[in-house]
Amino acid sequence: MSTLLKNALIIDAESPYHNQKKDILIIDGVIEKIADSIETKENYNIIELENLHVSCGWFDSSVSFGEPGFEERETIENGLQVAAKSGFTGVAVNGNTNPVVDSKSDIEYLKNKANFSATKLYPIGALTQKSEGKELAELYDMQQSGAVAFGDYNLPVENDNLLKIALLYAQNFDGLVLSFPKNNSIAGEGIANEGINSTKLGLKGIPALAEHIQIARDLFLLEYTGGKLHIPTISTAKSVELIKEAKKKGLQVTCSVTAHHLALTDDELHGFDSNFKTNPPLRTTEDTKALIKAVKNRVIDIITSDHNPIDIENKKVEFSEAKDGVIGLESLFGAVNSVLNLDDYITCITTKPKQIFGIENYSIKEGKKADITLFNPDTTYTFTSKNILSTSKNSPFINKNLKGIVYGVIANNQIILK
């Protein structure tokens, strides 16, 4: 298959063609030629799109699909199609399924389900058996089968010694440990950020302190044990400061932030719309500003959708009863591109997360495998339910004005366009 991209502006700091408009010829999944103009031939599949930009394929470090066990929320097949049409050539998939992904056979099941998709699936194995926080899961065996990291999705490791042992043990095979930043004793039964809005609305609050205490504990343990620790989906200004200081000490700690924590605040809660019920909760404007600054300063390493489909029976209910979680693959680019510049976004969705999760990044160069995202960063539009490709519809960005559209991907010798 021969594909010719016409007049594509290349956004790839590692490419000699960075910020240059070029034609790109791809033959059998490999970039054959990059030039100002390439002559078209009859057998070429020509792709010429308005204001076409291309970058290395995007990678999302935290995605949940329902399969196995919750297929009504999202199957792996549909989820990977959604990811491809949203610009992602790779996704790290959490193990919050039924059964929980905590063994070698579970990892192999996920990988086999994704064998022929354009978007590659990278499993995250559970850190503890059944994600119950009592005994470590089969970390080494899971890594040998393809797990890229280990964490109990949206569940904190409450046992201090267990996290200590995990950090020590994972060093034997250079494993990456994830620790969700929430202290349940402090958070209690809270369902929204503790502050002015939760008080006005009569919602039980989750203090930011619940996140800070957990992160501080994790960093003390990391300093003691060594190893690699990733703290997913931080949400407060103080969390940024704690991680910034740890990095200055030389600790191998990384962190991510969600698109909705960069673009939305707890002011959204006034309609009691459960699509805004997230974990961690939406925070204040001051927190959002600090998170955006931390992305620009590279304190925050990764931007993620934290895509978590929830079926209507568990989401379209009273706010206090609804399950936490939002979908975000389709809206991630438009939301983040509205608050960040393009280079910062691309860094935090390509090179940095791939480096942290041990995944190869294919730069846009001649002779390299074609693993490319196609997009237009300048188009503005209102995101509606018609833009949702996921089976579940729990998006917090419905009726929000977003900036930037994704055309699709070229990956695994396939072309997936919307």
Side-chain angles (χ1 to χ4, degrees):
M1 181 176 69
S2 300
T3 301
L4 180 60
L5 298 179
K6 297 292 292 184
N7 298 315
L9 184 63
I10 297 171
I11 308 296
D12 177 7
E14 296 181 359
S15 170
Y17 308 104
H18 180 48
N19 277 333
Q20 297 178 39
K21 190 170 283 191
K22 299 286 184 180
D23 286 1
I24 304 172
L25 178 62
I26 300 167
I27 298 179
D28 295 331
V30 176
I31 298 174
E32 181 74 17
K33 185 177 181 182
I34 301 175
D36 289 337
S37 180
I38 297 175
E39 182 182 354
T40 61
K41 296 184 179 180
E42 284 187 10
N43 64 324
Y44 286 177
N45 175 27
I46 308 298
I47 296 178
E48 192 164 11
L49 299 164
E50 182 182 355
N51 193 31
L52 176 60
H53 286 55
V54 298
S55 73
C56 307
W58 299 350
F59 173 72
D60 195 329
S61 65
S62 179
V63 169
S64 298
F65 297 142
E67 190 175 358
F70 304 111
E71 285 84 357
E72 72 278 6
R73 298 178 184 176
E74 191 94 272
T75 62
I76 291 172
E77 181 181 6
N78 189 70
L80 291 174
Q81 275 289 315
V82 173
K85 291 179 179 179
S86 301
F88 297 94
T89 62
V91 290
V93 175
N94 298 301
N96 55 326
T97 51
N98 185 20
V100 169
V101 178
D102 64 356
S103 69
K104 176 179 179 178
S105 59
D106 295 330
I107 296 294
E108 290 170 351
Y109 171 83
L110 291 180
K111 288 181 70 68
N112 288 336
K113 289 289 288 188
N115 268 342
F116 304 107
S117 63
T119 298
K120 193 164 183 181
L121 187 155
Y122 298 92
I124 297 175
L127 184 67
T128 65
Q129 294 175 23
K130 299 181 181 178
S131 287
E132 291 177 344
K134 296 176 181 177
E135 301 286 342
L136 284 185
E138 304 169 3
L139 306 189
Y140 178 73
D141 286 348
M142 285 193 286
Q143 189 186 60
Q144 291 299 105
S145 294
V148 293
F150 310 99
D152 296 333
Y153 178 70
N154 271 12
L155 297 170
V157 184
E158 295 185 347
N159 186 317
D160 306 336
N161 193 54
L162 190 64
L163 182 59
K164 184 197 77 173
I165 292 170
L167 287 166
L168 287 168
Y169 176 61
Q171 290 177 60
N172 292 304
F173 47 89
D174 199 32
L176 178 65
V177 173
L178 278 58
S179 179
F180 184 66
K182 182 180 181 183
N183 182 294
N184 279 336
S185 298
I186 299 294
E189 297 180 355
I191 56 175
N193 177 57
E194 183 180 84
I196 293 173
N197 284 317
S198 64
T199 303
K200 284 180 178 179
L201 298 171
L203 299 174
K204 291 182 179 179
I206 301 175
L209 179 65
E211 183 167 307
H212 307 154
I213 284 180
Q214 197 77 357
I215 289 176
R217 182 211 66 170
D218 291 352
L219 294 175
F220 273 120
L221 287 171
L222 180 65
E223 189 171 10
Y224 176 79
T225 61
K228 296 192 300 186
L229 176 69
H230 179 68
I231 301 174
T233 62
I234 68 169
S235 64
T236 75
K238 179 65 174 178
S239 297
V240 169
E241 291 304 313
L242 289 168
I243 292 169
K244 183 178 179 181
E245 288 303 311
K247 287 187 172 188
K248 283 182 180 178
K249 289 182 179 179
L251 300 184
Q252 289 192 75
V253 59
T254 56
C255 64
S256 68
V257 66
T258 73
H260 45 276
H261 283 100
L262 291 173
L264 303 173
T265 70
D266 62 352
D267 289 339
E268 302 287 350
L269 301 182
H270 284 267
F272 293 99
D273 185 343
S274 61
N275 284 335
F276 296 106
K277 189 180 182 187
T278 68
N279 189 17
L282 296 177
R283 303 288 188 183
T284 67
T285 301
E286 290 71 24
D287 289 314
T288 299
K289 288 178 180 177
L291 293 169
I292 291 171
K293 183 178 179 181
V295 171
K296 294 177 179 178
N297 295 339
R298 303 294 188 261
V299 176
I300 292 176
D301 305 277
I302 298 173
I303 297 170
T304 176
S305 68
D306 201 29
H307 181 81
N308 186 12
I310 305 293
D311 52 281
I312 192 169
E313 288 83 2
N314 286 297
K315 201 60 172 175
K316 201 168 184 179
V317 294
E318 187 179 343
F319 191 91
S320 61
E321 300 300 318
K323 284 188 177 295
D324 300 320
V326 303
I327 58 169
L329 287 168
E330 302 98 319
S331 56
L332 185 143
F333 177 52
V336 177
N337 189 48
S338 301
V339 296
L340 282 174
N341 70 50
L342 189 57
D343 285 340
D344 288 334
Y345 169 79
I346 295 296
T347 297
C348 291
I349 207 77
T350 58
T351 50
K352 286 289 286 186
K354 290 178 185 177
Q355 178 186 9
I356 290 164
F357 282 78
I359 295 163
E360 186 172 358
N361 186 55
Y362 297 98
S363 186
I364 301 178
K365 299 175 183 176
E366 293 178 352
K368 287 284 188 180
K369 181 178 176 181
D371 190 78
I372 297 172
T373 298
L374 293 71
F375 60 98
N376 176 352
D378 299 322
T379 297
T380 56
Y381 69 104
T382 300
F383 187 86
T384 69
S385 57
K386 293 180 181 179
N387 299 107
I388 296 176
L389 306 171
S390 303
T391 307
S392 297
K393 309 301 178 184
N394 51 308
S395 170
F397 289 104
I398 293 174
N399 297 326
K400 299 290 185 187
N401 293 322
L402 305 184
K403 180 186 176 187
I405 58 171
V406 176
Y407 291 125
V409 299
I410 299 175
N412 197 21
N413 202 17
Q414 298 177 51
I415 301 171
I416 306 292
L417 300 176
K418 283 184 180 176

